[in-house]
């Protein structure tokens, strides 16, 4: 498989920024579907795919979301065209017979709540990262965040308790004039070692 071009790598990583302000242009439902169709191919352990997404873009949806947001995230989230709630399905393993037919892995998780919870959280986090990359690949900008009251979001959007919010991500066309100076990154030798 050939390496991607530098222009693509720049769009996905090197020049991509976390946005706090977005242009008001709505994101078409077809684009949100295309985003999911890309992100779903990212690998998860045993192909468990525990992420569940809620695309919040209507005034009614934003009104449900608002009371759960930290004050520093309220205005930017209300103004963003779409906010994605990235959640995890606590019973993701019920789909394993279809998603992972290699062998019956369902009992491994059905009988171990701690393993199921850690697997759901870890892999829905991975899928949230794939969502960000898919959004960037489609020309959207992202503003992932964790400043919210999880209990309030779960009560408002997932009252049966099966899904649990992991993080939120604002989506849209970013307003570059509102960007903060880019923060530094750790050098390879500060963050990595080869053994």
């Amino acid at each position: 498989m050939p390496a991607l071009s530098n222009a693509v790598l720049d769009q996905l990583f090197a020049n991509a920024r976390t946005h706090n302000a977005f242009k008001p242009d709505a994101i078409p439902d077809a684009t949100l579907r295309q985003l999911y169709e890309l992100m779903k191919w990212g690998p998860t352990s045993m192909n468990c795919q525990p992420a569940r997404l809620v695309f919040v873009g209507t005034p009614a949806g934003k009104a449900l979301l608002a009371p759960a947001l930290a004050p520093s995230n309220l205005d930017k989230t209300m103004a963003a065209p779409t906010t994605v709630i990235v959640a995890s399905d606590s019973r993701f393993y019920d789909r394993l017979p279809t998603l992972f037919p290699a062998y019956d892995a369902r009992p491994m998780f059905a009988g171990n709540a701690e393993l199921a919870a850690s697997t759901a959280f870890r892999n829905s986090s991975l899928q949230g990262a794939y969502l960000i990359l898919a959004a960037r690949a489609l020309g959207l900008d992202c503003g992932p965040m964790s400043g919210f009251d999880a209990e309030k979001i779960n009560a408002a959007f997932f009252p049966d308790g099966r899904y649990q919010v992991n993080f939120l991500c604002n989506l849209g066309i970013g307003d570059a004039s509102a960007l903060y100076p880019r923060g530094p990154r750790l050098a390879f030798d500060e963050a990595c070692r080869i053994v």
Side-chain angles (χ1 to χ4, degrees):
M1 174 180 310
L4 297 173
S5 71
N6 285 338
V8 173
L9 296 177
D10 286 346
Q11 182 169 330
L12 295 178
F13 295 102
N15 292 336
R17 299 291 307 276
T18 296
H19 281 264
N20 291 300
F22 296 87
K23 296 179 181 176
D25 309 352
I27 302 173
D29 290 354
T31 301
L32 298 176
R33 289 180 177 278
Q34 186 181 13
L35 187 158
Y36 178 75
E37 290 300 321
L38 285 174
M39 71 154 282
K40 74 180 184 182
W41 297 110
T44 54
S45 61
M46 295 182 177
N47 197 34
C48 64
Q49 300 178 48
R52 303 295 180 262
L53 309 176
V54 179
F55 294 99
V56 182
T58 65
K62 293 282 186 145
L64 278 176
L65 192 58
L69 297 171
S72 60
N73 288 334
L74 181 62
D75 290 343
K76 66 182 176 182
T77 302
M78 293 302 101
T82 300
T83 302
V84 187
I85 301 172
V86 179
S88 60
D89 182 354
S90 64
R91 295 188 57 89
F92 68 89
Y93 48 81
D94 287 340
R95 304 296 300 272
L96 284 179
T98 300
L99 297 174
F100 186 71
Y103 62 86
D104 186 8
R106 186 186 178 284
M108 174 189 325
F109 298 103
N112 188 334
E114 185 177 331
L115 178 63
S118 65
T119 300
F121 181 76
R122 181 179 309 109
N123 287 278
S124 67
S125 299
L126 280 173
Q127 289 185 281
Y130 304 144
L131 177 137
I132 291 169
L133 291 176
R136 288 174 171 176
L138 294 175
L140 297 173
D141 294 302
C142 303
M145 60 191 148
S146 57
F148 57 85
D149 184 320
E151 288 183 15
K152 287 182 180 177
I153 289 182
N154 289 334
F157 291 91
F158 314 119
D160 69 0
R162 178 169 172 163
Y163 301 163
Q164 300 291 311
V165 63
N166 184 331
F167 70 94
L168 306 178
C169 185
N170 289 330
L171 294 176
I173 303 301
D175 179 355
S177 70
L179 285 171
Y180 297 111
R182 188 163 204 176
R185 300 299 192 264
L186 296 175
F188 183 92
D189 291 336
E190 295 175 291
C192 311
R193 58 188 176 131
I194 299 173
V195 295

